[in-house]
Amino acid sequence: MSQNELIPRFLTKSQLPLIRKDINAVVKNKQYFLTLLLVPLLFTVVFPIGMVLITFMIPIDTSDFTQILAVIPESMREADERLSVFNLLFNMMLPLFFLLIPIMASSVMAASSFVGERQKHTLETLCYTPLTIKQIFQAKVYAAVVMSLSVTYGGFIVMIVVVNIVLGFLGQNSALPSLTWLFVLILLVPALSLLTIVLIVKTSVKSKSIEEAQQKSVFFVLPIIMVLLSQFSGLFLINQWIFGVIGILLLTLSLVVLQKSMGKYTYERVLK
């Protein structure tokens, strides 16, 4: 099989060097690379370990445990109260924290796209390559998607391993992800990655600094935080089917936004 046959149809061979360059630029930059590692480590290692320890080590009759248990509807409770709390945290709360990973990873990667080229004085040179402005935009979006999904899915594998190791030490049964996690990984992660990337890449064309471009990711972080607060307060709980519906809607929206965004750029707009 030739190299050309290995390239997806939505890519051209001439876009691959630009995709590799963007990925390598982030990997070789210690500040960006550490950010890509620290955020996933927080939500796939530190937070899950704390979640498991709190669930299975604090006394059941404490006020904190009772408050968490009170949030769980009767229909979702198990015979074992600790298992009920664990299922709530692992399958309903943790997925929301987990969604911050693709947003952060996407923002780091995407913010360095046009702003990074401008700061290194290579943007004008890039625009004079054989690639069209649409192909340049596509390549930068695809590079950010590859990095974001790699970090997110890699973090998920680490999280499952870490959670089950801690459960094993505590003498508990292994935990398997619920259907909620399937919807999160297949629908919500790609959708939020694409939406974050497209928004920040569009912003980075006019931004003077990478930090300024990254600030746009707050539009996706705030809704997740609000939902988390609602979950913890018991105001409402998002079940697996709501995760699925929201995932389908956001993924559809992200693909539409991506398609429309690709036709809005000209060399003059990028270089001004």
Side-chain angles (χ1 to χ4, degrees):
M1 182 178 292
S2 65
Q3 184 178 4
N4 288 338
E5 292 175 324
L6 295 174
I7 301 174
R9 292 183 178 181
F10 51 81
L11 285 177
T12 64
K13 188 177 180 180
S14 56
Q15 288 175 298
L16 293 180
L18 180 56
I19 293 174
R20 294 193 198 99
K21 182 181 77 67
D22 279 6
I23 293 175
N24 289 334
V26 171
V27 172
K28 292 179 180 179
N29 186 303
K30 292 182 179 180
Q31 179 183 351
Y32 298 154
F33 192 62
L34 283 176
T35 302
L36 285 174
L37 290 180
L38 290 176
V39 173
L41 283 175
L42 175 63
F43 292 117
T44 63
V45 177
V46 178
F47 187 80
I49 289 176
M51 177 199 73
V52 174
L53 293 178
I54 289 174
T55 302
F56 291 101
M57 294 191 69
I58 65 172
I60 295 179
D61 55 357
T62 60
S63 59
D64 290 337
F65 192 93
T66 303
Q67 288 176 0
I68 297 175
L69 191 62
V71 174
I72 307 174
E74 291 291 338
S75 59
M76 297 177 58
R77 294 192 182 187
E78 305 280 348
D80 186 337
E81 292 183 340
R82 291 190 186 275
L83 187 58
S84 297
V85 171
F86 176 79
N87 286 333
L88 171 73
L89 296 177
F90 182 66
N91 290 315
M92 299 184 70
M93 302 293 187
L94 193 55
L96 290 169
F97 283 104
F98 185 81
L99 287 175
L100 295 175
I101 297 176
I103 294 175
M104 295 302 179
S106 298
S107 66
V108 170
M109 188 70 189
S112 64
S113 57
F114 287 108
V115 178
E117 299 286 357
R118 184 179 289 116
Q119 290 180 339
K120 291 181 289 187
H121 306 290
T122 57
L123 183 57
E124 186 171 351
T125 303
L126 182 62
C127 288
Y128 285 111
T129 61
L131 294 173
T132 66
I133 195 66
K134 179 178 179 180
Q135 289 175 323
I136 293 172
F137 181 85
Q138 285 177 330
K140 290 188 171 295
V141 168
Y142 295 151
V145 168
V146 168
M147 181 62 76
S148 174
L149 295 185
S150 297
V151 170
T152 304
Y153 292 147
F156 175 75
I157 294 172
V158 170
M159 182 194 69
I160 294 300
V161 172
V162 167
V163 166
N164 282 293
I165 288 175
V166 178
L167 286 173
F169 277 123
L170 296 176
Q172 303 295 324
N173 295 327
S174 298
L176 294 176
S178 68
L179 189 60
T180 297
W181 281 105
L182 183 64
F183 291 143
V184 166
L185 295 172
I186 294 179
L187 299 174
L188 283 168
V189 166
L192 286 175
S193 295
L194 275 176
L195 286 173
T196 304
I197 290 165
V198 171
L199 175 64
I200 293 180
V201 169
K202 288 177 63 177
T203 304
S204 68
V205 175
K206 297 181 179 180
S207 300
K208 297 180 180 179
S209 68
I210 292 176
E211 291 73 18
E212 180 184 346
Q214 279 184 289
Q215 290 174 0
K216 297 299 180 181
S217 63
V218 72
F219 290 113
F220 299 102
V221 173
L222 287 178
I224 292 178
I225 292 176
M226 292 175 63
V227 173
L228 275 169
L229 292 175
S230 299
Q231 296 267 83
F232 277 114
S233 65
L235 185 61
F236 68 88
L237 291 177
I238 299 181
N239 61 37
Q240 58 191 20
W241 303 114
I242 296 178
F243 271 104
V245 171
I246 294 175
I248 292 173
L249 294 176
L250 283 180
L251 187 58
T252 303
L253 175 64
S254 67
L255 293 174
V256 171
V257 171
L258 175 63
Q259 187 64 33
K260 289 187 175 182
S261 298
M262 287 183 178
K264 293 183 178 181
Y265 290 97
T266 62
Y267 290 106
E268 293 77 14
R269 182 181 177 187
V270 171
L271 292 173
K272 70 179 180 178

